[in-house]
Amino acid sequence: MKSSCDLAVHAAALTKTFGPTRALNGVDLSVPAGSVYGFLGPNGAGKTTTLRILATLLRPDAGAAQVLGHDVVREPDAVRARISLAGQFASVDEDLTGSENLRILGRLQGHRPRAARARAQELIEAFGLVDAADRPVKTYSGGMRRRLDLAGSLTAAPDLIFLDEPTTGLDPAGRTQVWAIVRALADQGTTILLTTQYLDEADQLAARIAVIDHGRVIAEGTPGQLRESVGSSTLHIRLTHPEQRPEAARTLERVFGLPVHLDANPAALSVSGRTPHQAATALADLCRDGTGVAGFSLGRPSLDEVFLALTAHSDSGQEHVA
Amino acid sequence: MTLAPPAQATPAPTSGPPAFTPGTRPVPPSPASAALTFAWRALLKIRRVPEQLSDVIAVPIIFTLLFTYLFGGALAGSPHRYLQFLLPGTLVMAVLLATMYTGVNLNTDLSKGVYDRFRTLPIWRPAPIVGALLGDTLRYLLASTLVIALGVALGYRPGGGVSGVLLAVALVVVFALALSWVFTLLGLVLRSSNAILSLAMVVLFPLTLASNTFVDPRTMPGWLRAVVEANPVTHLVTAARDAMAGTATLGQVGTVLLASAALVAVFAPLTMRAYRTRQ
Ligand SMILES: Nc1ncnc2c1ncn2[C@@H]1O[C@H](COP(=O)(O)OP(=O)(O)OP(=O)(O)O)[C@@H](O)[C@H]1O
Ligand SMILES: [Mg+2]
C-alpha cells in the first residue's frame, strides 16, 4: 500500500450505489497534506457522495479510504477528531443565532464554556458577522450563512476541512470573501478539499484538481497541467449562416486538432486551443473558405469544454494528465 | 480585429483577508458533557421558538378540565369527587402524549444539514439523542406542573403532600423518558413527521385509554380487564395515584421502574442502530 504519511486523503476504488444509481464507480483520490485540493465536476458527478464517505457519514460499498492516516470505516472516531465538514446545504441551525451555533459546536469539540465563547467571538469578528451574531440564522443572507458555516468548521483547529460547493449561490463579492477565507486557512497549513462546479474557482484556489464525472475521476493534476490538456483559451464563433456550421467545424478541427463543441445555438460553436495564434489561423481559414463569421471571442474554457476535451482523452485511454 | 477580454474575469478582492488564528484543538468532550450540550441546544431552541410548547401547554389544561366536568357527574356523582380519582391519570396522559413530539422533533432535526455536522464530531454517538431527551424532560415537567396546579385550583388535595406529588411526577417523567425511545426510533425510521404523528395516535391512544385512568377496571368485562391490568400505563397510574395519596408501595414503584427499564433495553439499542445506519 502507498504511504499515506504526507497524504491527507488516500482513497482507492471507492464505489457507492443508491438503488439503481451508481453514484461512485471506482474513485481514486490522493490529496497531499497542507494544500487546497479542488474536486471539480458537474451535477450528479459524485462529489458530495465522495466527501460524505471521506467525512465518515457514508460507508462505501467497496474500496477503501484513509483520511489523515486513519481508515474511514474502521476508525471513524480518529478521523472525526481531526476533520470538519461544511456540507453543500449550510450545516447550521436555522432557529438559533450565529453565536449560539458556534458556541454549541465549540462545546461539542470539547472546549470549556469560556473557551467556546471566546472562539465563537473571534470567528464572528473575523468573518464579518458582528452585527448578525445575535440574530437567528434564518434571517441571514446566503453569503452570511456560508460564512457562518465556514466559521462552524473552525471552532477546533481541524487538520482537514471538507467544503462542499462553498460558493454556489453566492454573488461575486460573497465568493471573493469565501475565497479569502480559504486562502487564509491554507496559509495556516490546513488541508482543504473543496468541491466546485466552476473550473475558474478550482483554478483560483487549488494547488491540484481532480475532475470527476459519472462517479469516476477522469483527470488529475495541477491547474496548469489540466489547462494544458484542455487548451488555455477557447475560441467561440458565431456564424452568419447556421447551415455553414458543419463546414466550419471541420476547419476548426483541422487547425486545432481537438474536438469541436457544437453549441445549443445552431449558429455557434467553440474549440479550445493552446495559443491565441491557432485562433487567428482558424479565423483566417474560415474567411478564406467564405464562411460568414458574425462574431467571435476568445475566453477561458468553460467546464463543458473541459469535459468534452477530457472525455475525449479518457476515450483514448489516456486518463491521467499528471 | 481585437480579441475580446476573457469571459470570466476574476472580481478584485473587496476586503483584506479575514484575521483569525488557527485556534486550539481540545480533548473531545465526555459523553455527559456532549449530551448536556445537546440538552442546552434543546433549551435554546425552546427559547427561540416557544410556540413549539403550545401543545404541551394546551393538552394538559384541556384534558384536566374536560374529563373532570365531562365524566365527573356520571362516574363519581360530582366533578369534585371524580377529580380526586382522575387527576393522577390526567397527569400520566398529558405527559405520555407529549412523548410523541420527541420523535417529531428528532425527525425534523435530522432532515437538516446541521445533523451531518454533528455526525462528523468526535462525540459519544448517542449524545444528540440523549441530549434531546434531557431537553424533553423540561416539557414533561412543564406539563406535570400545569396539570397539578390546575388540579389544586379545582379542588384536588393530594393526601401524600408535596413529597407524594414529587414522587408521582418523578415516576411519570421516568416512564415518559423511557417511552420516548419508542419515538426516537420512529423518528429515525419513518420518513415524515406526519407519519410519526399518525402512528403515535395508534400507539398512544389505546395505551393511555385502555387503562385505569378514567374508571376502576373492576367495572369492566373480564377480557378488557385482563388487557387493562397488563397495560404498563395502568401500573403507572396506580403508582402515581397512590404516591399522591401517600400510600405508594415499594412494589408499585419497582414495577414502574422495571417497565421503564424494559422499554429502554429494547428501544434504545434499536434507536442507536437506526441512527448508525441512517445515511
Ligand atoms: N441518498 C441518495 N439516494 C439516492 N441517490 C443518491 C443519494 N445521494 C446521491 N445520489 C445520487 O448519486 C449521484 C451522485 O450524487 P452526488 O450528490 O454525489 O453528486 P454531486 O457531484 O455532489 O452533484 P451536485 O453538484 O448536484 O451536488 C446522483 O445521481 C444522485 O442522484
Ligand atoms: Mg453535491
Side-chain angles (χ1 to χ4, degrees):
Chain A
M1 193 188 287
K2 211 158 135 188
S3 153
S4 50
C5 292
D6 43 5
L7 287 182
V9 173
H10 179 69
L14 293 177
T15 63
K16 182 76 196 177
T17 357
F18 296 105
T21 317
R22 190 148 250 250
L24 298 186
N25 195 8
V27 166
D28 300 311
L29 201 62
S30 295
V31 177
S35 63
V36 181
Y37 195 94
F39 202 38
L40 178 69
N43 285 140
K47 304 183 293 295
T48 300
T49 306
T50 307
L51 243 56
R52 289 175 69 84
I53 290 175
L54 297 177
T56 75
L57 289 174
L58 211 58
R59 267 168 174 269
D61 295 340
Q66 277 103 44
V67 169
L68 301 163
H70 298 284
D71 187 279
V72 291
V73 175
R74 285 196 307 271
E75 311 161 87
D77 289 324
V79 173
R80 286 175 190 162
R82 295 176 60 193
I83 60 155
S84 254
L85 166 77
Q88 182 166 359
F89 306 103
S91 14
V92 284
D93 215 316
E94 299 273 311
D95 295 329
L96 302 181
T97 69
S99 156
E100 286 166 348
N101 265 287
L102 295 182
R103 278 161 57 203
I104 288 172
L105 289 172
R107 294 284 288 132
L108 291 175
Q109 293 281 3
H111 281 303
R112 312 261 91 224
R114 186 190 297 266
R117 185 188 290 268
R119 181 64 176 165
Q121 190 55 34
E122 179 186 4
L123 291 170
I124 279 167
E125 283 165 18
F127 289 10
L129 293 168
V130 174
D131 295 336
D134 296 319
R135 261 174 27 209
V137 173
K138 54 172 164 262
T139 67
Y140 283 26
S141 74
M144 293 158 75
R145 210 173 285 229
R146 256 301 164 197
R147 294 207 299 280
L148 179 67
D149 205 13
L150 285 171
S153 305
L154 304 178
T155 51
D159 291 321
L160 170 62
I161 300 185
F162 297 106
L163 302 178
D164 200 356
E165 302 197 15
T167 63
T168 300
L170 297 192
D171 65 9
R175 178 182 281 211
T176 310
Q177 284 173 323
V178 169
W179 286 0
I181 293 169
V182 171
R183 289 203 184 95
L185 279 168
D187 288 345
Q188 292 173 0
T190 311
T191 309
I192 296 156
L193 175 52
L194 68 87
T195 74
T196 177
Q197 304 188 24
Y198 311 112
L199 179 63
D200 184 37
E201 178 162 284
D203 203 6
Q204 284 280 328
L205 294 174
R208 293 187 77 83
I209 298 173
V211 181
I212 181 171
D213 192 26
H214 292 110
R216 285 181 75 85
V217 174
I218 57 170
E220 206 272 344
T222 65
Q225 289 167 328
L226 213 57
R227 216 169 320 134
E228 192 97 321
S229 76
V230 174
S232 54
S233 53
T234 299
L235 175 65
H236 297 269
I237 291 181
R238 210 155 27 78
L239 299 171
T240 326
H241 307 292
E243 62 276 10
Q244 288 183 324
R245 189 160 81 164
E247 201 183 313
R250 271 194 299 279
T251 307
L252 294 182
E253 207 154 324
R254 178 169 46 74
V255 175
F256 285 82
L258 284 169
V260 173
H261 178 73
L262 299 179
D263 211 86
N265 174 350
L269 69 173
S270 60
V271 63
S272 299
R274 290 182 213 304
T275 64
H277 190 249
Q278 284 175 312
T281 311
L283 286 164
D285 285 5
L286 287 175
C287 205
R288 194 197 54 218
D289 297 347
T291 314
V293 175
F296 71 89
S297 70
L298 200 55
R300 291 152 66 92
S302 72
L303 189 55
D304 259 4
E305 288 146 358
V306 174
F307 281 120
L308 183 75
L310 290 173
T311 338
H313 277 282
S314 65
D315 285 348
S316 57
Q318 193 190 340
E319 287 198 11
H320 289 257
V321 292
Chain B
M1 276 195 288
T2 54
L3 298 183
Q8 297 170 347
T10 316
T14 48
S15 57
F20 58 93
T21 60
T24 54
R25 181 163 349 109
V27 178
S30 67
S33 158
L36 285 173
T37 303
F38 280 101
W40 174 49
R41 172 175 177 264
L43 298 191
L44 286 174
K45 289 191 90 136
I46 289 177
R47 206 175 75 188
R48 296 282 163 204
V49 195
E51 52 278 20
Q52 62 179 300
L53 290 181
S54 52
D55 292 293
V56 174
I57 292 171
V59 169
I61 295 176
I62 295 171
F63 276 20
T64 308
L65 289 176
L66 196 65
F67 293 141
T68 305
Y69 292 101
L70 198 63
F71 300 146
L75 294 181
S78 85
H80 186 261
R81 194 165 331 138
Y82 186 52
L83 183 66
Q84 209 61 26
F85 172 82
L86 174 74
L87 191 96
T90 348
L91 171 70
V92 168
M93 196 164 180
V95 175
L96 293 194
L97 284 181
T99 57
M100 69 174 122
Y101 297 106
T102 303
V104 175
N105 288 347
L106 184 66
N107 188 270
T108 11
D109 228 12
L110 280 167
S111 63
K112 309 239 167 87
V114 69
Y115 253 80
D116 277 353
R117 202 195 271 289
F118 292 153
R119 296 201 310 149
T120 58
L121 291 172
I123 51 174
W124 183 50
R125 216 65 63 87
I129 293 170
V130 173
L133 290 182
L134 289 177
D136 284 333
T137 312
L138 186 86
R139 289 166 203 279
Y140 304 155
L141 289 175
L142 182 66
S144 308
T145 311
L146 283 169
V147 171
I148 290 164
L150 188 61
V152 170
L154 294 178
Y156 175 76
R157 292 295 171 263
V162 176
S163 60
V165 170
L166 289 182
L167 176 61
V169 170
L171 289 174
V172 173
V173 170
V174 164
F175 186 85
L177 284 173
L179 187 65
S180 294
W181 286 98
V182 175
F183 289 99
T184 54
L185 179 63
L186 293 181
L188 284 164
V189 299
L190 295 183
R191 292 253 169 264
S192 71
S193 43
N194 277 337
I196 300 165
L197 282 176
S198 34
L199 197 57
M201 293 301 162
V202 175
V203 174
L204 285 178
F205 269 105
L207 202 63
T208 49
L209 292 178
S211 71
N212 59 349
T213 301
F214 297 105
V215 287
D216 192 321
R218 276 173 300 191
T219 62
M220 299 173 189
W223 63 270
L224 183 58
R225 189 172 162 184
V227 170
V228 165
E229 281 171 357
N231 182 354
V233 173
T234 299
H235 295 280
L236 177 62
V237 171
T238 306
R241 201 171 269 156
D242 289 359
M244 288 171 96
T247 59
T249 65
L250 221 52
Q252 288 173 336
V253 173
T255 309
V256 171
L257 295 182
L258 213 64
S260 306
L263 279 170
V264 175
V266 174
F267 289 99
L270 288 176
T271 297
M272 287 323 297
R273 211 184 61 154
Y275 185 63
R276 259 199 314 280
T277 56
R278 193 185 154 107
Q279 299 189 332

mmCIF file of all heavy atoms in Angstrom, chain A residues 43-44 46-49 88-89 164-165 195 197, ligand 2:
data_model
loop_
_atom_site.group_PDB
_atom_site.id
_atom_site.type_symbol
_atom_site.label_atom_id
_atom_site.label_comp_id
_atom_site.label_asym_id
_atom_site.label_seq_id
_atom_site.Cartn_x
_atom_site.Cartn_y
_atom_site.Cartn_z
ATOM 1 N N ASN A 43 -23.198 18.515 -11.887
ATOM 2 C CA ASN A 43 -24.262 17.976 -11.015
ATOM 3 C C ASN A 43 -24.302 16.464 -11.144
ATOM 4 O O ASN A 43 -24.249 15.929 -12.250
ATOM 5 C CB ASN A 43 -25.636 18.512 -11.423
ATOM 6 C CG ASN A 43 -25.853 19.956 -11.004
ATOM 7 O OD1 ASN A 43 -26.419 20.732 -11.737
ATOM 8 N ND2 ASN A 43 -25.399 20.311 -9.825
ATOM 9 N N GLY A 44 -24.398 15.805 -9.998
ATOM 10 C CA GLY A 44 -24.574 14.353 -10.020
ATOM 11 C C GLY A 44 -23.318 13.571 -10.318
ATOM 12 O O GLY A 44 -23.356 12.357 -10.497
ATOM 13 N N GLY A 46 -20.850 12.929 -8.355
ATOM 14 C CA GLY A 46 -20.417 12.095 -7.230
ATOM 15 C C GLY A 46 -19.549 12.849 -6.228
ATOM 16 O O GLY A 46 -18.945 12.231 -5.351
ATOM 17 N N LYS A 47 -19.513 14.158 -6.323
ATOM 18 C CA LYS A 47 -18.669 14.959 -5.421
ATOM 19 C C LYS A 47 -19.124 14.829 -3.973
ATOM 20 O O LYS A 47 -18.344 14.502 -3.085
ATOM 21 C CB LYS A 47 -18.704 16.460 -5.825
ATOM 22 C CG LYS A 47 -18.307 16.734 -7.255
ATOM 23 C CD LYS A 47 -18.283 18.217 -7.550
ATOM 24 C CE LYS A 47 -19.656 18.884 -7.498
ATOM 25 N NZ LYS A 47 -20.579 18.408 -8.532
ATOM 26 N N THR A 48 -20.414 15.093 -3.749
ATOM 27 C CA THR A 48 -20.927 15.039 -2.378
ATOM 28 C C THR A 48 -20.802 13.636 -1.804
ATOM 29 O O THR A 48 -20.399 13.459 -0.656
ATOM 30 C CB THR A 48 -22.393 15.505 -2.356
ATOM 31 O OG1 THR A 48 -22.452 16.847 -2.843
ATOM 32 C CG2 THR A 48 -22.960 15.462 -0.956
ATOM 33 N N THR A 49 -21.112 12.638 -2.611
ATOM 34 C CA THR A 49 -21.021 11.257 -2.138
ATOM 35 C C THR A 49 -19.594 10.945 -1.690
ATOM 36 O O THR A 49 -19.375 10.356 -0.630
ATOM 37 C CB THR A 49 -21.467 10.293 -3.252
ATOM 38 O OG1 THR A 49 -22.764 10.694 -3.696
ATOM 39 C CG2 THR A 49 -21.521 8.870 -2.761
ATOM 40 N N GLN A 88 -22.984 20.758 1.593
ATOM 41 C CA GLN A 88 -23.426 21.539 0.428
ATOM 42 C C GLN A 88 -24.551 22.500 0.809
ATOM 43 O O GLN A 88 -24.630 23.602 0.297
ATOM 44 C CB GLN A 88 -23.896 20.566 -0.659
ATOM 45 C CG GLN A 88 -24.341 21.244 -1.927
ATOM 46 C CD GLN A 88 -24.471 20.247 -3.069
ATOM 47 O OE1 GLN A 88 -24.222 19.063 -2.929
ATOM 48 N NE2 GLN A 88 -24.871 20.746 -4.220
ATOM 49 N N PHE A 89 -25.450 22.046 1.696
ATOM 50 C CA PHE A 89 -26.529 22.919 2.139
ATOM 51 C C PHE A 89 -26.215 23.293 3.576
ATOM 52 O O PHE A 89 -26.117 22.422 4.431
ATOM 53 C CB PHE A 89 -27.869 22.202 2.003
ATOM 54 C CG PHE A 89 -28.061 21.691 0.606
ATOM 55 C CD1 PHE A 89 -27.877 20.358 0.308
ATOM 56 C CD2 PHE A 89 -28.355 22.572 -0.424
ATOM 57 C CE1 PHE A 89 -27.996 19.896 -0.995
ATOM 58 C CE2 PHE A 89 -28.478 22.119 -1.719
ATOM 59 C CZ PHE A 89 -28.303 20.777 -2.010
ATOM 60 N N ASP A 164 -18.105 21.546 0.712
ATOM 61 C CA ASP A 164 -18.885 21.085 -0.440
ATOM 62 C C ASP A 164 -19.550 22.280 -1.108
ATOM 63 O O ASP A 164 -20.481 22.862 -0.567
ATOM 64 C CB ASP A 164 -19.923 20.059 0.024
ATOM 65 C CG ASP A 164 -20.434 19.193 -1.118
ATOM 66 O OD1 ASP A 164 -20.026 19.453 -2.283
ATOM 67 O OD2 ASP A 164 -21.225 18.278 -0.865
ATOM 68 N N GLU A 165 -19.046 22.619 -2.270
ATOM 69 C CA GLU A 165 -19.547 23.763 -3.045
ATOM 70 C C GLU A 165 -19.705 25.009 -2.177
ATOM 71 O O GLU A 165 -20.809 25.544 -2.025
ATOM 72 C CB GLU A 165 -20.870 23.408 -3.744
ATOM 73 C CG GLU A 165 -20.688 22.203 -4.657
ATOM 74 C CD GLU A 165 -21.800 22.041 -5.672
ATOM 75 O OE1 GLU A 165 -22.577 22.992 -5.879
ATOM 76 O OE2 GLU A 165 -21.875 20.972 -6.281
ATOM 77 N N THR A 195 -15.164 21.068 -3.188
ATOM 78 C CA THR A 195 -15.788 20.691 -4.448
ATOM 79 C C THR A 195 -16.330 21.947 -5.112
ATOM 80 O O THR A 195 -16.643 22.934 -4.437
ATOM 81 C CB THR A 195 -16.976 19.731 -4.254
ATOM 82 O OG1 THR A 195 -18.077 20.478 -3.737
ATOM 83 C CG2 THR A 195 -16.634 18.611 -3.301
ATOM 84 N N GLN A 197 -18.267 23.411 -9.056
ATOM 85 C CA GLN A 197 -18.683 23.164 -10.437
ATOM 86 C C GLN A 197 -17.973 24.123 -11.374
ATOM 87 O O GLN A 197 -18.200 24.110 -12.570
ATOM 88 C CB GLN A 197 -20.188 23.371 -10.587
ATOM 89 C CG GLN A 197 -20.990 22.515 -9.642
ATOM 90 C CD GLN A 197 -22.461 22.610 -9.953
ATOM 91 O OE1 GLN A 197 -22.854 22.928 -11.060
ATOM 92 N NE2 GLN A 197 -23.292 22.324 -8.972
HETATM 93 MG MG MG C 2 -23.160 17.799 -4.254
#
